[in-house]
Amino acid sequence: MFENLSEKLQRAFKNLRGQGTVTEENIQEALREIRVALLEADVNLNVAKELIEHIREKALGQEVMTSLSPTEQVIKIVRDELVALLGKDTARFQFASRPPTVILMAGLQGSGKTTTSGKLAAWLQKGGHRPMLVSVDVYRPAAREQLKVVANSIKAKLYEGDTKGEPAGTPLVERLAKEARREAVITGCDTLIVDTAGRLHVDSDLMDEMTRLKALLNPQEILFVADAMTGQDAVRSAEEFHKQLALTGTVLTKMDGDARGGAALSIRHVTGQPVKFIGTGEKPDAFEPFHPDRIVSRILGMGDIMSLIEKAESTLDKKKSEEFARKALSGDGFSLEDFRDQLRQIRKMGSLQSIMKMLPSVGPFSGMQQMADQVDEKQFNRVEAIINSMTPYERNHHEVISGSRRRRIANGSGTTVQEVNQLLRQYAQMRKMFKGIGKGNVLQRRAMGMMSGMRGSGR
Amino acid sequence: MIQTLFGSLDQPQEKGFFDRMKQAVTRTRDSLSERIDSVVAMTRGVDEAALEELEMSLIASDLGVHVSAEVTEQLRERARREQIRDGAELRELLKSSLKKILDDQEKPPKTVAAPPEVILMVGVNGTGKTTTTGKLAAYYRRQGKTVLLCAADTFRAAAIEQLEVWGERTGVEIIKTRQGGDPSAVLFDALEAAKARKIDVLIVDTAGRLHTKTGLMAELDKMRRTTQRLIPDAPHEVLLVLDATTGQNGLQQARLFTESAGVTGIVLTKLDGTAKGGIAIAIARELGVPVRFAGIGEKVDDLLPFDSGAFVEALLGEPAASRS
């Protein structure tokens, strides 16, 4: 696995403490590590070089502040630099002064244009818009069928059109696009999302077709749909698409994987246009506006705490959580009933894996991300089943659960006595741990122990 | 057009830092070959600067920091030992060492005790599994073999229809279910059918999945076990379909797909673009998985058995940009 940048920098700066200033020599090693981190995250080589120069200039001669360690200082510079490059704010979406607003989706094959078109439509619908979808991908087998299925699943309007046996080619593409626009006006749709065929930036015929589509539709937004896993080549395709079409933004897809997404930096650099959205899964609502500061953390391997907090805020029942925290940290401790409630709440946020992935891989959470892949989600079903098989009294008074009760609970939940034992043991541990936190104990080791317990029992 | 009345919406280019960054990036368009040529021209002898530049070039081709460093280190050693002074010689040396990394992993495909030979196509979303499945069917048809396709991507919208079109194009029958059906069930049917009809090759198209989704990866493992239950020595090939534009994440893809699906080889797709798939070398080096096929276009015969020599030649020799 990748070693975290912070850990590497810490090593590089081991000898720096006490030296007063960051000098050319002592920063050399650190800069090397930063460069490697950027390259491993697929940031383009030349972009990385340029960035390193900037970071060097900023870091040199800086007083080593007592409040920040040299590592923290350099990381701050790196972060600031990357965030500045990606643009500070979430990019806005442009709407036409006179509807329909036309959005042209462009990109290489397999980057996720059709899926993204559907997600964008769902997002617009949620914002009170009336989008219409049309696919002008007359080349890939069943591509138009795919958009139709997607549109149906989100109940979005689709202009299906009729190829009338016309051969696949630019005239057909233009006809479908024109008809869809007319249809959008007639039916009062305020946005038209045009899903196009994937094409290589070196395919001049198909790139010409894009140019003609642009001239025909005069779109407000031309979004470049790019795969977050793209490597060094990202700059070439993005640059060429931008040169021919003047892109207005990028959608970075497949961000639910573990790619660092350095391509975002590269694409932003060559196009000068913001990344506007990210795709985070296969469901229609797995689609979010892009936040530069978050992807910077990810590129540097430092987690995505902001997204985690946001997700928590939107899904968790705040009152219940506070109640739980109060109980857990107080002397009484929390009951198995509370535990089950809490478990249900957390699971509402999505898979535990995705939650753990958002934690920074430094500090108290180091190691959690690596463990995320080993978590067995089904284990949670079993835990819930076990608690469900207890009587309310047992849930609130775990100490009464005797051997025969355990057997009954195991039978009732389709598990084994060992599993019931293990749950009770973990519960007791957790109660103790939380009480410890209430008294100001160390969180990390205990939390880790708890997680590895869950992992181990899943097999 | 009404919209033209409102003027062009093209945004003015941002000046300053971005422009400089853009300039910097434009330099990458120089192909690796040009870079190497410049290394060669720069130095009559082989010095440290030349090697470092070479290392950068390998990184720019997605070989990754570690493999690039390793390859460069070996090159440095050999250059010293063999007294290589000439840049052109250095380049040949690089070619041969990259080729060797790939060739070392070549192993003959598993022998098929009795037909059908079962090939499982796996990979992340959008790498070209369905297209490759279709092209692979054509490839075996051209060899005079009987082929059956199994549409086990029951998840993605219209994936089954897409494979059906490929079935028609190649004149190959396809075993399918409805969207949302159980992929292992349709696989079971396809295996039975292939056995009953004495088919030579059964190619199974699976749904794209990110390697980080444990549940979906377990599904692949189940499909593999289903296959084994019906045909003990199958699947004979598990091909990871890998997009040539993939960066360093490709290594992780290969690692996790090998763990759950037992990948036996790689199909490198979209090699007709400007990306040359350098990650395949990193995968061969670190995981020992060979490349079996190369996808070079969307037409039915745009799939070739992998040729390491030609691949390395393209990586090091061909101008990347076919435009100004």
Side-chain angles (χ1 to χ4, degrees):
Chain A
M1 277 311 295
F2 296 121
E3 197 185 359
N4 183 271
L5 178 63
S6 302
E7 290 158 19
K8 285 181 181 167
L9 286 182
Q10 245 142 27
R11 217 162 8 91
F13 276 114
K14 222 170 33 214
N15 307 317
L16 188 61
R17 218 178 274 274
Q19 284 188 11
T21 52
V22 181
T23 67
E24 187 77 40
E25 295 116 67
N26 62 29
I27 201 177
Q28 204 55 36
E29 170 94 14
L31 288 173
R32 264 187 72 89
E33 297 293 0
I34 295 166
R35 203 196 61 179
V36 169
L38 292 174
L39 292 174
E40 278 178 345
D42 290 322
V43 175
N44 177 270
L45 183 63
N46 289 308
V47 176
K49 268 189 196 162
E50 191 102 352
L51 274 166
I52 294 296
E53 270 321 298
H54 274 260
I55 293 162
R56 186 202 306 275
E57 279 165 29
K58 291 225 168 119
L60 273 182
Q62 270 212 357
E63 286 291 313
V64 174
M65 287 180 277
T66 42
S67 59
L68 290 176
S69 70
T71 313
E72 286 166 344
Q73 235 177 60
V74 171
I75 285 181
K76 188 178 177 314
I77 294 170
V78 175
R79 283 191 66 112
D80 291 351
E81 199 66 22
L82 297 191
V83 171
L85 276 170
L86 282 167
K88 276 228 156 46
D89 303 309
T90 309
R92 296 254 308 250
F93 207 64
Q94 286 190 33
F95 291 98
S97 48
R98 179 177 301 194
T101 299
V102 178
I103 304 161
L104 196 57
M105 311 296 282
L108 301 172
Q109 290 93 339
S111 55
K113 283 175 298 304
T114 306
T115 307
T116 304
S117 297
K119 288 176 178 180
L120 187 58
W123 184 77
L124 286 168
Q125 281 177 332
K126 226 164 77 186
H129 289 275
R130 284 168 51 83
M132 173 175 278
L133 286 160
V134 63
S135 168
V136 298
D137 182 355
V138 296
Y139 305 100
R140 182 167 63 86
R144 284 166 41 77
E145 180 65 27
Q146 186 183 347
L147 189 69
K148 186 177 164 184
V149 176
V150 169
N152 281 340
S153 75
I154 56 169
K155 298 187 177 62
K157 275 214 160 126
L158 171 85
Y159 178 70
E160 211 179 331
D162 187 351
T163 59
K164 296 177 191 150
E166 199 178 326
T170 304
L172 175 59
V173 167
E174 288 185 307
R175 175 166 70 77
L176 287 170
K178 231 184 305 185
E179 286 171 4
R181 227 274 279 292
R182 195 179 314 131
E183 184 72 13
V185 172
I186 292 169
T187 56
C189 289
D190 61 1
T191 35
L192 176 66
I193 301 169
V194 184
D195 181 23
T196 65
R199 62 202 73 213
L200 287 170
H201 49 292
V202 288
D203 185 331
S204 53
D205 290 347
L206 282 180
M207 288 307 279
D208 282 349
E209 180 186 286
M210 279 309 274
T211 323
R212 295 180 65 148
L213 263 181
K214 183 189 171 185
L216 181 75
L217 295 167
N218 207 350
Q220 277 64 45
E221 292 276 353
I222 304 175
L223 297 178
F224 183 59
V225 182
D227 188 324
M229 296 180 273
T230 314
Q232 298 282 326
D233 196 55
V235 291
R236 292 206 194 102
S237 49
E239 188 184 31
E240 194 59 28
F241 268 94
H242 186 54
K243 210 167 86 190
Q244 305 220 8
L245 296 170
L247 303 169
T248 63
T250 299
V251 182
L252 209 58
T253 61
K254 307 179 201 172
M255 283 290 282
D256 46 333
D258 57 359
R260 290 281 180 81
L265 276 175
S266 309
I267 294 169
R268 167 83 218 221
H269 290 157
V270 284
T271 64
Q273 299 299 318
V275 179
K276 293 197 168 170
F277 298 97
I278 56 169
T280 57
E282 304 203 39
K283 297 211 183 74
D285 62 347
F287 187 70
E288 305 164 10
F290 174 76
H291 296 283
D293 46 332
R294 300 182 192 174
I295 197 170
V296 165
S297 300
R298 178 167 171 157
I299 289 171
L300 298 175
M302 298 166 113
D304 189 359
I305 283 280
M306 275 313 290
S307 291
L308 183 61
I309 292 170
E310 226 169 57
K311 205 165 186 182
E313 274 177 347
S314 69
T315 46
L316 295 186
D317 183 336
K318 208 170 161 209
K319 242 169 85 186
K320 270 194 176 171
S321 296
E322 275 170 6
E323 174 71 15
F324 177 80
R326 195 190 51 73
K327 267 193 187 169
L329 298 177
S330 75
D332 309 337
F334 58 95
S335 70
L336 279 159
E337 185 112 39
D338 300 327
F339 179 57
R340 185 182 60 180
D341 277 352
Q342 205 57 22
L343 207 59
R344 284 180 178 162
Q345 292 233 12
I346 290 170
R347 297 196 71 194
K348 271 201 298 196
M349 285 171 62
S351 74
L352 192 69
Q353 273 186 30
S354 64
I355 297 169
M356 285 166 85
K357 285 262 165 68
M358 283 190 254
L359 294 171
S361 53
V362 280
F365 303 109
S366 72
M368 288 279 224
Q369 289 186 317
Q370 275 78 356
M371 257 154 47
D373 289 331
Q374 298 159 35
V375 171
D376 181 2
E377 297 285 340
K378 284 197 187 123
Q379 178 66 10
F380 291 97
N381 293 335
R382 286 195 283 273
V383 167
E384 211 181 310
I386 292 172
I387 301 179
N388 286 343
S389 298
M390 296 175 184
T391 65
Y393 186 80
E394 285 167 345
R395 284 180 211 140
N396 289 312
H397 304 86
H398 67 103
E399 61 282 350
V400 304
I401 305 176
S402 59
S404 64
R405 283 178 193 256
R406 286 175 198 211
R407 251 192 321 278
R408 191 204 77 236
I409 292 166
N411 282 335
S413 57
T415 56
T416 61
V417 176
Q418 282 82 358
E419 281 174 282
V420 176
N421 283 338
Q422 186 164 17
L423 169 67
L424 289 171
R425 214 167 35 239
Q426 279 173 0
Y427 163 69
Q429 261 175 25
M430 257 187 282
R431 263 171 71 101
K432 225 164 91 192
M433 179 186 96
F434 275 107
K435 279 189 204 168
I437 298 171
K439 293 188 201 114
N441 231 337
V442 188
L443 166 68
Q444 181 199 0
R445 221 183 43 238
R446 301 291 178 79
M448 295 281 288
M450 172 184 113
M451 299 310 309
S452 50
M454 285 185 183
R455 174 170 47 122
S457 61
R459 302 291 147 191
Chain B
M1 212 66 14
I2 302 166
Q3 263 74 1
T4 47
L5 296 174
F6 297 96
S8 163
L9 285 144
D10 295 353
Q11 293 192 328
Q13 288 294 315
E14 280 176 70
K15 287 266 176 281
F17 191 40
F18 280 124
D19 278 354
R20 286 196 290 121
M21 289 305 304
K22 256 166 78 176
Q23 240 177 1
V25 166
T26 318
R27 289 198 294 266
T28 36
R29 280 174 42 192
D30 304 345
S31 70
L32 184 50
S33 119
E34 284 160 18
R35 291 166 145 272
I36 292 170
D37 285 342
S38 73
V39 172
V40 169
M42 235 162 49
T43 52
R44 309 225 74 201
V46 176
D47 62 11
E48 208 34 51
L51 283 161
E52 206 160 289
E53 184 73 9
L54 201 66
E55 186 177 343
M56 291 300 111
S57 310
L58 294 175
I59 290 172
S61 303
D62 288 322
L63 265 78
V65 179
H66 292 298
V67 174
S68 300
E70 262 179 41
V71 169
T72 313
E73 184 53 42
Q74 280 171 11
L75 218 55
R76 181 179 289 125
E77 281 289 306
R78 280 185 72 179
R80 205 178 43 220
R81 213 172 43 233
E82 295 171 27
Q83 303 264 305
I84 286 175
R85 328 231 89 210
D86 185 320
E89 268 182 276
L90 186 69
R91 176 187 182 145
E92 283 312 307
L93 209 59
L94 175 62
K95 265 188 201 167
S96 71
S97 66
L98 292 183
K99 188 171 179 306
K100 187 169 180 313
I101 293 177
L102 292 164
D103 290 345
D104 281 352
Q105 306 311 331
E106 285 300 324
K107 31 198 164 245
K110 212 162 152 185
T111 47
V112 184
E117 174 178 2
V118 182
I119 304 175
L120 223 52
M121 310 296 286
V122 300
V124 299
N125 317 64
T127 55
K129 279 175 299 305
T130 306
T131 307
T132 305
T133 303
K135 291 194 281 191
L136 204 56
Y139 173 81
Y140 285 114
R141 289 284 290 147
R142 281 200 299 277
Q143 296 184 353
K145 294 185 174 165
T146 51
V147 180
L148 188 66
L149 292 176
C150 171
D153 181 354
T154 57
F155 182 80
R156 180 169 62 87
I160 299 168
E161 286 84 345
Q162 188 182 347
L163 192 65
E164 275 181 314
V165 174
W166 278 103
E168 281 161 30
R169 280 183 191 175
T170 52
V172 166
E173 237 190 286
I174 154 175
I175 304 290
K176 58 176 183 185
T177 175
R178 70 196 153 72
Q179 197 192 331
D182 177 5
S184 284
V186 69
L187 172 63
F188 187 90
D189 291 347
L191 288 163
E192 294 267 82
K195 277 171 81 174
R197 300 182 204 173
K198 305 211 168 13
I199 294 283
D200 293 325
V201 188
L202 172 68
I203 310 173
V204 185
D205 182 28
T206 67
R209 63 201 78 217
L210 290 178
H211 48 286
T212 48
K213 311 258 155 116
T214 341
L216 293 175
M217 294 305 277
E219 183 186 276
L220 273 186
D221 191 37
K222 183 181 169 194
M223 290 174 73
R224 189 166 58 145
R225 279 182 280 120
T226 303
T227 311
Q228 263 162 3
R229 211 164 49 236
L230 265 83
I231 302 170
D233 65 332
H236 306 89
E237 283 265 37
V238 178
L239 294 177
L240 175 69
V241 182
L242 189 76
D243 188 326
T245 59
T246 311
Q248 295 315 296
N249 193 248
L251 210 51
Q252 193 64 0
Q253 284 175 33
R255 189 174 288 131
L256 294 184
F257 271 100
T258 304
E259 269 173 27
S260 3
V263 171
T264 60
I266 283 170
V267 183
L268 207 51
T269 60
K270 308 182 197 175
L271 277 168
D272 44 336
T274 46
K276 292 299 169 214
I279 189 68
I281 294 180
I283 293 171
R285 183 86 186 79
E286 304 219 339
L287 301 170
V289 181
V291 186
R292 289 257 195 262
F293 292 95
I296 52 158
E298 294 182 326
K299 287 194 299 294
V300 70
D301 53 357
D302 283 340
L303 184 77
L304 306 171
F306 183 71
D307 175 342
S308 63
F311 176 78
V312 171
E313 202 68 47
L315 196 71
L316 301 182
E318 195 184 270
S322 64
R323 70 212 129 76
S324 59

